[in-house]
Every structure is written in C-alpha cells, then in structure tokens.
Amino acid sequence: MADLFPITLLSLQVSILATLISLLIGLPLGTILALGKFPGRSFLLSIVNTGMALPPVVVGLFVAMMLWRSGPLGDLRLIYTPAAIIIAQTIISAPVVTGLTAAALQQLNPRLRLQLYGLGASRAQMVLSLWREARLPLLAALMAGFGSVISEVGASMMVGGNIRGQTRVLTTAIVLETSKGEFERAIALSAFLLTITFLVNWALTVIQQRGRS
Amino acid sequence: MTALIEVRDLLVRREKQTVLEIEHLAVQKGEVLAVVGPNGAGKSTLFLTLARLLKHERGTIHFNGTDSMSTLEYRRRIALVLQEPLLLDASVRENAAIGLGFRGIPRVDSDRRAGHWLERMGVAHLADRSARRLSGGESQRVSLARAFVLEPELLLLDEPFTALDSPTRARLLEDLKAVLAETSTTTIFITHDLREAERLGTRMAVMLNGRVHQMGEPREVFAHPADAQVAEFLGTTLG
C-alpha cells in the first residue's frame, strides 16, 4: 500500500480540477439556459439533461478516439495522461453542474428578476443575486458534479490506462486489485475512496449549511 | 407644476394583441397617482412598461423631460414594490440595503440608511432577523423600506397590500400615506381596491381594456364618471 498516497492525491487532483472546470462551464451555461429566452432553449436543456446520464465508458470511448495517436487530437500526446482523465471527467460532470444550475435558478420566483432590476441591479448584479439566492442548490450541483467523477472508473481506465505512478487513481486501482483477487487491498482502497468522498462532501455541506444559517 | 413622467402615444402588444394603448398620461412631481381597474385592464402592463421592464412597440416615456436615459440609469432613479415582497434569503437589514449596494454605496452608509428606513417603517427591531422568518405584513414593510431607502424620484407600487389581511393592510396603508406625505415622493400606485385608491391617491386613473378612460381627483371621478363603463366599474351612476 506504499503507493496509496500518490494514488489518492492524483484522484483528488484530477477530480477536483475536473469539477472546477465543470463549474466554470456549467454555472454560466446553466444560467443562460435558465434565464435566457432564445430559440432552441428547451432542446438544449434536453441535451444537457441527457448529458447528466452519460455513461462514463461512452465518454471514455469518445475521448480515447479523439486523443488516440492517430485521432484528430493525437498530436497533443494526451492519451494515457492525467490530462486525458481530466478532459473525460469534465465531459461527465459539466452536464451535471449545468443541468442542476439551470434547475436551481428556474425554481426561483421569476418575478424576483423584475424586483432586482426594479431596485437598480445591472444584469451582472441580478445574476450574482440569483446565484446567492440559489446558493444551497448550487452547492448541491457542485457536490453532484464531484460525486459523478470521483466515483467513475470507465473513462479513467480507458483514457488514463491505469499506469502505475502516472495515471492510476483510486477507482482504477480498485478494479485492478479485484481482478487480481486481492480483495483486502480492494476493500482498503474502497474504504479510502469513500472516506475522502465523504470528507470533501462534508466540507461542502458545512459551507452550504452555514449559508443557510 | 412639472411632469416627472409623461407618456405619449404608448402602445404595448403581447402575442399580436394590443394590451395597452395610452394617448397621454402625465404624473406631476409629488403626486400620488392611483391607477385602478379590473383584472386584465392593463394595470400591471402599464406598471412594467413604466419600470422599463417591458418593451413598448410605439410611443415615448419622458422622465424629467427626457427619454434618452439608459435603462439602467432610469431604473436607478425609480424604485419598485411588487405584490409579493420578494425578499432575499438574507437578513432584513441586508434586504433593505440591497438597492444601495447595487449603486455602489459603501456598506457603512447603506446600513445606516437602511436602519433609518426600517425604523420609519416600524420594523427596526427585526433588522438582524432572517427575512424568511417574517410575517406577510412585516415582509411588505421591509419591501417598502427597501424602496424608500433609495430616495427614488418615482415610486412604483403594484398592489402591495393585496396579500395582507384587513387590519394589517389598513395599518400599512396609513403608515405609507404618512411617509408619502412627508417625503413628497412621486408615486404611481396600481390597485384594484377603490377604497385604497381613494385613500392614497391625490389623483386617480381608471383603466379599462388597456386604455385610461378617466383621470382626475378621486372625489371628482366618483362623482362624475366619464362614461358608462367607468360608472359600472366604480359602482356609481353617470352624473
């Protein structure tokens, strides 16, 4: 278990970065989908909602094809690197954050926007006020986004390759140990994965509930 | 007297239907114009159009003699109180000060000014409480304080008492009347309640089917309805 620490660290680095990139994409996109009025908005929302249920192996396949040496982005030499896992995990969690952001903002009273404008808010101030008002479900969106990537294995395995010391993360290590019949090691890794997932979500929940009080 | 706001030849259409058509409407500085009419008369459309929250197809809205002001600049000279208080999930004080925050007023000043208006509206003791824990009447008082703290040139009120019970409504109406008299805030007050309109308005406009049928002092309007439709709405007879 000497490599437990680097595996855990890489898992956290990759999943936290993918979640933060998803937040940068999902927060504005979800806001536009929730508040905007433009043709095709419902269709786009349906696409995002479908994306929330994207199977990680399908994402893994798509990203692997893109990053494969002979693929369209092969020259970037990203296949079997942590960057490839981050790309795949971002594709998995961005629809989750986007869809839940849109839902969080749509559940607010639509007249609240009128009220904020009527008090002299600029468009940016109005959006910031709505984000603040929906901070509890928005933090839940962040937790769901993180949960969707820290626990996935298919995409990480396919685009990362589970290379020891380079792209091995907790989930791919669990698969490997199980396939070798090393159940004790697999259980220990699983317990560790659950513990860090709990700790990250606990920290986010504390922030969320402090906002409530 | 100078008109603070003057509307000419205004046309608003929704889904190809004309919902508001006003030839001329002027509100003088310091005046409280009560706009009355049944549901669907176009009162709320007028309210939203005057707040520049709804686009009009034709016509002009002059504010202090100009119609070339940017929407943001215009909105920062008015304040809005809607039927629902629509307070944010924050303290009462933060809610009262939010409009000042939008205008970049420093926190110390905005807290002091918010405190003054919460006091004036009789809810200063609730300043540190969460706005989610207020009664309907308290919430509407905070909503009014949030508007008055901006010292607006024009105050727009859209049926602010509708959701309140009778005693609460009566007390709030009296307090609002006193504040309006004290501050001489130019106000447009949308209501379907004729008694409220008569109590608060220095003038009254009767809207029916998207048009202003009559405008004048409340007593005059009640005594001499302009046509049969106005008389029917007011429950009086043509005189």
Side-chain angles (χ1 to χ4, degrees), chain A residues 3-13 168 170 192 196:
Chain A
D3 52 358
L4 184 60
F5 179 71
I7 290 176
T8 306
L9 189 65
L10 184 66
S11 287
L12 277 173
Q13 281 175 337
R168 184 163 297 168
L170 280 167
F192 212 70
I196 62 162

Side-chain angles (χ1 to χ4, degrees), chain B residues 123-212:
Chain B
V123 282
H125 59 291
L126 304 172
D128 295 317
R129 188 180 289 188
S130 164
R132 290 288 153 95
R133 294 191 186 138
L134 302 181
S135 68
E138 288 167 343
S139 295
Q140 204 53 282
R141 283 177 182 274
V142 175
S143 172
L144 284 165
R146 179 176 63 180
F148 278 113
V149 79
L150 301 172
E151 296 171 7
E153 289 176 63
L154 175 66
L155 178 64
L156 294 169
L157 307 170
D158 186 13
E159 312 222 20
F161 310 122
T162 306
L164 306 177
D165 59 59
S166 267
T168 308
R169 180 191 292 216
R171 278 196 301 274
L172 193 49
L173 190 66
E174 285 315 305
D175 287 353
L176 178 60
K177 190 175 166 64
V179 172
L180 288 177
E182 181 189 310
T183 56
S184 303
T185 307
T186 311
T187 303
I188 297 178
F189 170 50
I190 307 282
T191 181
H192 63 265
D193 188 311
L194 294 173
R195 279 172 305 175
E196 279 180 8
E198 197 179 6
R199 191 87 191 93
L200 209 61
T202 50
R203 273 202 308 159
M204 190 164 121
V206 182
M207 281 193 73
L208 300 163
N209 304 316
R211 292 168 183 269
V212 175

